[in-house]
Amino acid sequence: RPERRQIVTTAVERSAVLESLRRARARGVTTVFTLRNHGYDDRSYYENVDHVFTTSPYLSDLYRQKIGLISTGIVSPIDWSL
């Protein structure tokens, strides 16, 4: 049977979701947390997360400065100058 890649992605910090991330990671599943705004300053949210994506480089910089979180800011595809 061929190996299948598995990934779990979430955007909320509810205890059930955090437990799902813990279980997935324990099984070798890649886990991703997406951040879309401020207020997720508790480092425990990211204990079982392999990658964090944010909605902008600005937000990634903010979280790196506040709590030392390393994340990837995805630049918006919207051209706001129009």
Side-chain angles (χ1 to χ4, degrees):
R1 184 175 178 175
E3 180 181 335
R4 293 186 329 188
R5 287 276 191 188
Q6 295 182 1
I7 190 166
V8 172
T9 304
T10 187
V12 296
E13 85 293 348
R14 306 237 189 300
S15 60
V17 172
L18 298 178
E19 178 61 16
S20 295
L21 290 169
R22 186 192 68 75
R23 290 180 185 195
R25 198 169 193 207
R27 291 193 330 262
V29 174
T30 300
T31 56
V32 177
F33 195 99
T34 61
L35 285 168
R36 296 179 176 99
N37 52 26
H38 301 270
Y40 293 86
D41 300 339
D42 187 337
R43 288 289 301 183
S44 69
Y45 298 159
Y46 314 102
E47 287 177 358
N48 294 294
V49 174
D50 295 307
H51 305 285
V52 177
F53 297 121
T54 69
T55 54
S56 70
Y58 165 79
L59 199 56
S60 286
D61 288 342
L62 180 85
Y63 276 99
R64 184 172 46 257
Q65 291 172 12
K66 280 182 101 172
I67 62 172
L69 181 69
I70 303 301
S71 62
T72 300
I74 299 172
V75 177
S76 174
I78 299 170
D79 182 354
W80 295 102
S81 66
L82 298 177

